[in-house]
Amino acid sequence: MKRKPAAQPEPPVQDDAVAPEILAPEISLDTRRALSPLRPLKVAAPKCTVCGSDCVPGASEQLCWVCRRLKISAWRDSDQQPAIQE
């Protein structure tokens, strides 16, 4: 039984999606950033007031999901306890 001949690798295809000005090594980093498409800036997520981890942006309370769930479960526990009579 004969072996198949090894396939020759295809030459790399040049991608024209990136402008050659951006790929040129003699251009400074600032110029590359100016030529690149505009990207939205990352906005720092608000921090949880209890533990300091990231919160959901736009939330009414500054709580992360863990602290929010703990708060909800604490409310449920306090609602279920019978009132203590003296």
Side-chain angles (χ1 to χ4, degrees):
M1 180 184 259
K2 293 184 179 181
R3 291 186 176 189
K4 293 182 180 179
Q8 294 183 4
E10 295 180 18
V13 178
Q14 185 176 359
D15 189 13
D16 293 333
V18 180
E21 300 89 33
I22 296 175
L23 296 175
E26 63 272 357
I27 296 177
S28 70
L29 183 61
D30 293 331
T31 308
R32 284 188 212 172
R33 287 183 181 154
L35 290 174
S36 67
L38 296 177
R39 286 181 261 153
L41 297 175
K42 290 185 179 179
V43 178
K47 300 293 181 184
C48 177
T49 56
V50 177
C51 66
S53 64
D54 291 338
C55 297
V56 177
S60 61
E61 302 170 328
Q62 295 294 322
L63 296 175
C64 67
W65 69 272
V66 176
C67 295
R68 184 173 179 273
R69 297 295 285 173
L70 288 171
K71 177 183 172 183
I72 292 170
S73 65
W75 280 354
R76 286 187 190 143
D77 290 345
S78 67
D79 289 344
Q80 291 175 356
Q81 291 178 354
I84 300 174
Q85 296 179 355
E86 293 184 32

